[in-house]
Amino acid sequence: MEKLREKNERLGQPFEYNIVLIGFMGVGKSTISKKLSEICSMDVVEMDQLIAQREGMSIPEIFETYGEPYFRDLETNLLIEMQSKRNVIISCGGGVPMREVNVKEMKKNGKVILLTAKPETIMERVKDSHDRPLLENNKTVEHISSLMELRREKYEAAADIIIETDHKSTVEICEEIITRARA
C-alpha cells in the first residue's frame, strides 16, 4: 500500500473527477471509500451518514418519520450538490442507483464504480447490523439474493466499472479501482 500511496503522490491529484461507489448494502462501499481516501488523499462523502447528520436522525428514523420517497429526494439533492466538488469519493447508499435521475447526476462529474459481492458474503457482513431498514426483519441469504436480483439490472446499467469484492483485500480492491478508473 505504501508504494501505491507514493505513486499517487508523484502523480498529484489522482482524478479530475469524483469516484462514485455504488452497490448493494454490505458490499464494502464504506470500507473501500475509507481506504481509497487514505491511499489517494481524497475526501469522502458517505451519503447515508451525511444525510443522517443533516436530518438529525438515523436512516431508519427518517424512513419511519418521513417515508422512503422523502429520503430518496434527499439522496438526489445531495448528488446534485456533489457536482460542485472534484476529486471526492462518494459512497452511495444501496438504493441510490434505482432512480434514473440519480444515475444522470452521478455521471455528470464522476466515474461510477459498482462493487459486488455474493449474497452469502453480504449476509456475513450485515448480520449484526441494525442500520439497514430493508433487511431488518428478514436477514436471510434468500432475501438478500432476491433484493440483489431486483437491483442488478439498474446497478449494472449505472456502472462505468464493475469490481467484485469477494475474497479480495481492501488494498487489492483499491488498486483495481485506481488502475481501472485511470484507464
Side-chain angles (χ1 to χ4, degrees), residues 4-178:
L4 195 58
R5 187 179 293 126
E6 288 171 12
K7 182 180 178 184
N8 278 320
E9 286 171 5
R10 284 194 312 272
L11 294 172
Q13 193 178 54
F15 304 105
E16 298 293 320
Y17 43 82
N18 295 331
I19 296 293
V20 183
L21 299 179
I22 65 169
F24 197 76
M25 59 191 97
V27 296
K29 297 180 300 286
S30 295
T31 302
I32 297 305
S33 64
K34 286 178 192 147
K35 182 58 75 179
L36 193 59
S37 170
E38 289 174 27
I39 294 168
C40 296
S41 300
M42 296 170 72
D43 290 331
V44 175
V45 172
E46 285 282 347
M47 287 186 66
D48 283 353
Q49 184 180 341
L50 184 56
I51 288 170
Q53 179 185 340
R54 287 179 174 180
E55 292 294 305
M57 58 181 77
S58 70
I59 302 302
E61 289 171 331
I62 295 170
F63 268 64
E64 186 178 315
T65 305
Y66 299 108
E68 185 175 356
Y70 176 83
F71 177 74
R72 299 302 175 197
D73 288 341
L74 293 173
E75 290 176 325
T76 301
N77 292 336
L78 184 53
L79 286 171
I80 292 167
E81 181 185 329
M82 288 296 102
Q83 289 172 23
S84 65
K85 309 278 187 204
R86 292 285 179 273
N87 204 41
V88 172
I89 302 162
I90 303 167
S91 179
C92 298
V96 171
M98 300 310 290
R99 274 186 160 180
E100 208 169 295
V101 65
N102 289 350
V103 174
K104 288 177 185 168
E105 298 304 330
M106 287 187 283
K107 288 184 175 278
K108 282 184 180 174
N109 81 332
K111 277 214 177 162
V112 180
I113 299 173
L114 170 61
L115 301 179
T116 66
K118 291 179 174 46
E120 295 80 6
T121 302
I122 291 170
M123 177 63 189
E124 184 60 32
R125 291 175 182 169
V126 304
K127 68 182 179 193
D128 298 323
S129 171
H130 297 286
D131 297 330
R132 303 174 191 278
L134 298 177
L135 291 183
E136 188 52 35
N137 296 314
N138 201 354
K139 285 184 190 160
T140 65
V141 171
E142 294 77 21
H143 182 63
I144 290 169
S145 182
S146 70
L147 279 176
M148 289 176 72
E149 188 54 34
L150 288 173
R151 293 181 173 193
R152 185 180 54 79
E153 189 176 319
K154 291 208 182 226
Y155 280 2
E156 290 176 359
D160 296 312
I161 298 167
I162 300 173
I163 296 177
E164 294 177 18
T165 65
D166 293 294
H167 312 297
K168 292 180 187 172
S169 71
T170 55
V171 172
E172 288 171 324
I173 295 163
C174 290
E175 287 173 345
E176 189 172 345
I177 289 171
I178 292 166

